[in-house]
Amino acid sequence: MTRVAANRPASTRQASRSGSKETVCRVPKQRSIRTYRAALEFLNARTDYEKMVRVGYNHTNFNLSRMLRILAALGNPHKKIKTVHVAGTKGKGSTCHMVAAMLQNAGYRTGLYTSPHIVDLRERIAIDGELIAESEFTRLMAKLAPVVYRMQRDEPTFFEILTAAAFLHFASRKVDIAVIETGLGGRLDSTNVIKPEACGIVSISYDHMAQLGNTLEKIAEEKAGIFKPGVPAISAPQVPAVKRVLRKVAERVGCPLRFIGEDIEFSYRFECSRVSGPHTRVCMATPTTRFDHLRVPLLGEHQAHNCGVALGLIDALRQRGWMIDEQDAIDGLAKVRVQGRLELIRDMPRTIVDAAHNAASVGALMRAVGQNITYDSMVVIFGCCQDKDIDGMLQQLQLGADKVIFTSSGTPRSADPHELHTRFVEKSQKMAQVGETLEEAYQIACKSVTREDLICITGSVYLVGLAKRLQAAGKLG
């Protein structure tokens, strides 16, 4: 991949002589990082694959040796912390939050690294539920900058720098354990430099197919790249093709792999009570741990499997000697709240946001809304990135939405809302319109609903973040 020189400030000087004249080309000097704004500017000047439409999945763009060189220059902070590693397609973030909450409530100082963020970049790095301070983030970027500048010929990316910053933060604050979510895939992901205490695999489905492969088997093999010899792995239930690949990779690596509902006794049920309203409860039992009828803290049937993986990871840690009282874990689980997951951001009209960003997630969202929220009709404001399984997302969308308003997801990767509209009406008889911006789409939605109706904003993490920022600023509706 061709890298843009403007993204790499340097203090080099190039000169050429023609007769007695000298032509000098000056490159801007490296800027010192003393403020949070300067830290963000430094980071945002790096290559950010999250914002790019097409990204080659190769050793040039995704390179663990480059990540290891960064960490070596920083004293290998990733080797100074214990970790839990989570990969998969749908539910990584929710699972990581549940594991972290249980560990924190059990008395461990717990780091949490997730991506992407919804509103604030600092959401990605937290300790015991507290986001990294702006001053600490600034200090870390100032420490990383000289390392990055020395690597100009093979410049670290946005995600690599942020991952290194997370490891530095966790090591300097001496966390007992950190829960780490993969960014993309697993095998070549920047986080895959750790040897964790345990690793989890949530539901695997189609996503990032241009990078990970166009079959579930290829995607599963990339996700299974986080397996390590002797490190226990817990997986959510998977379709047969995925299960075969995961078992094959685990056997080859020497990783003890267990599936909830198969190797681990697990069940769940949906119920509704006058006190608790609609919710899901799970049961899990192993020879060393037992959880009975726990309420899943996040709404949606799909969250039951995420919760099962989280509980399985707690059991795996207990088997490795971590002192985690079952009641402490239960109490910690009950405290979990994750923004951007069936989150109510406005009462009138009732408006929820959900960061469903692939076909499986949209399908799970439609089912979760139907199970947990009472409404007459639902208007969905939808915007997604163009590199997604758009047809799959639209197919799931029509199963639950009564009307859809298509808009931009707010990033350079955004799919054209007019194209989304055209493809949707070819497949569905549901009403559909286009709003060029989220503000316009929301105004259209507000005119379409009554008191008993529901507006749902989904399809992209970026769209959800934009909705929350606009609502906070009083500019939504």
Side-chain angles (χ1 to χ4, degrees):
M1 176 179 178
T2 302
R3 301 189 181 275
V4 182
N7 284 350
R8 300 196 303 267
S11 56
T12 58
R13 181 184 182 191
Q14 297 175 342
S16 62
R17 295 186 179 276
S18 176
S20 60
K21 294 182 178 180
E22 182 184 67
T23 302
V24 178
C25 176
R26 297 187 182 275
V27 180
K29 293 183 178 181
Q30 300 173 11
R31 291 182 57 190
S32 61
I33 298 175
R34 298 179 180 176
T35 66
Y36 181 61
R37 180 176 178 178
L40 290 179
E41 289 176 350
F42 162 76
L43 181 62
N44 288 327
R46 307 309 117 194
T47 300
D48 185 357
Y49 296 134
E50 294 176 14
K51 297 179 180 178
M52 296 174 65
V53 177
R54 293 180 177 84
V55 180
Y57 191 67
N58 52 53
H59 284 278
T60 300
N61 295 337
F62 297 87
N63 190 329
L64 289 185
S65 64
R66 182 170 59 233
M67 187 68 199
L68 289 169
R69 291 201 304 276
I70 301 169
L71 294 171
L74 299 169
N76 291 315
H78 63 301
K79 295 182 178 180
K80 300 174 183 177
I81 55 175
K82 302 291 186 181
T83 57
V84 172
H85 206 187
V86 179
T89 304
K90 179 170 65 71
K92 298 191 300 293
S94 298
T95 302
C96 287
H97 276 87
M98 286 188 265
V99 174
M102 288 187 281
L103 288 169
Q104 179 185 341
N105 208 63
Y108 292 106
R109 186 169 177 80
T110 306
L112 177 62
Y113 180 57
T114 58
S115 62
H117 59 279
I118 300 291
V119 176
D120 189 333
L121 178 74
R122 297 181 302 124
E123 296 165 22
R124 300 185 185 216
I125 305 173
I127 295 177
D128 287 348
E130 183 177 341
L131 306 190
I132 184 172
E134 291 184 359
S135 58
E136 175 66 6
F137 184 86
T138 302
R139 185 186 72 81
L140 292 176
M141 288 301 113
K143 187 171 184 177
L144 273 155
V147 177
V148 172
Y149 290 136
R150 287 198 298 269
M151 297 176 65
Q152 289 181 36
R153 293 186 178 181
D154 190 19
E155 185 181 77
T157 66
F158 174 100
F159 189 72
E160 288 168 342
I161 295 169
L162 204 54
T163 302
F167 290 144
L168 269 176
H169 184 52
F170 297 151
S172 66
R173 294 304 174 92
K174 294 181 170 55
V175 300
D176 298 308
I177 191 166
V179 183
I180 309 295
E181 176 189 358
T182 58
L184 173 65
R187 181 176 62 92
L188 296 179
D189 188 73
S190 301
T191 64
N192 200 28
V193 293
I194 56 177
K195 184 172 182 180
E197 294 289 290
C199 61
I201 301 288
V202 297
S203 177
I204 292 176
S205 54
Y206 289 103
D207 200 12
H208 298 294
M209 292 175 287
Q211 288 80 37
L212 305 182
N214 55 9
T215 68
L216 286 178
E217 290 88 344
K218 290 181 180 178
I219 295 171
E221 189 156 10
E222 290 296 325
K223 305 287 187 183
I226 70 168
F227 290 167
K228 304 293 189 303
V231 175
I234 308 296
S235 174
Q238 308 285 356
V239 299
V242 169
K243 189 183 298 183
R244 285 194 297 271
V245 171
L246 294 181
R247 287 201 184 279
K248 180 180 178 181
V249 174
E251 184 177 351
R252 183 176 72 232
V253 171
C255 162
L257 170 65
R258 293 182 294 166
F259 289 86
I260 63 169
E262 186 173 336
D263 307 300
I264 296 175
E265 184 180 328
F266 174 80
S267 63
Y268 68 93
R269 72 175 186 274
F270 176 81
E271 62 182 45
C272 186
S273 68
R274 183 174 298 178
V275 175
S276 301
H279 60 279
T280 306
R281 291 190 180 274
V282 299
C283 297
M284 191 204 79
T286 72
T288 54
T289 305
R290 188 173 189 88
F291 295 109
D292 288 324
H293 310 296
L294 300 191
R295 179 176 175 174
V296 179
L298 304 175
L299 296 179
E301 182 182 17
H302 59 292
Q303 294 290 2
H305 288 154
N306 296 334
C307 186
V309 173
L311 294 172
L313 287 168
I314 293 298
D315 174 66
L317 290 173
R318 281 164 57 93
Q319 292 190 29
R320 288 175 71 91
W322 289 79
M323 303 299 292
I324 304 170
D325 180 77
E326 291 179 7
Q327 190 58 50
D328 286 341
I330 292 169
D331 294 341
L333 183 66
K335 299 175 183 178
V336 172
R337 301 292 182 271
V338 184
Q339 66 171 331
R341 274 75 168 180
L342 279 175
E343 180 184 2
L344 181 70
I345 64 168
R346 192 171 183 180
D347 290 316
M348 286 297 293
R350 279 191 304 165
T351 305
I352 62 171
V353 294
D354 191 277
H357 59 278
N358 55 54
S361 295
V362 173
L365 169 62
M366 295 298 104
R367 292 190 296 274
V369 170
Q371 285 182 329
N372 294 279
I373 302 175
T374 302
Y375 61 91
D376 285 345
S377 66
M378 178 168 62
V379 177
V380 175
I381 298 175
F382 182 87
C384 69
C385 295
Q386 60 184 275
D387 56 344
K388 296 292 184 177
D389 175 16
I390 291 177
D391 288 335
M393 298 176 81
L394 297 181
Q395 177 67 32
Q396 295 297 326
L397 195 60
Q398 68 174 327
L399 298 179
D402 295 292
K403 178 178 180 177
V404 183
I405 303 169
F406 294 100
T407 191
S408 168
S409 66
T411 72
R413 293 169 54 203
S414 178
D416 182 346
H418 293 278
E419 181 182 345
L420 292 175
H421 176 270
T422 299
R423 292 167 72 166
F424 183 74
V425 297
E426 289 175 352
K427 299 173 178 293
S428 173
Q429 300 300 314
K430 301 287 181 71
M431 292 185 292
Q433 287 180 255
V434 171
E436 297 293 344
T437 64
L438 177 56
E439 296 97 315
E440 181 183 338
Y442 193 74
Q443 289 174 0
I444 295 171
C446 288
K447 295 175 182 177
S448 305
V449 297
T450 65
R451 184 181 182 87
E452 302 304 320
D453 295 337
L454 180 69
I455 298 174
C456 175
I457 302 173
T458 190
S460 166
V461 174
Y462 306 108
L463 186 64
V464 167
L466 177 59
K468 285 177 66 70
R469 289 192 297 273
L470 290 173
Q471 174 63 14
K475 297 179 180 179
L476 192 64

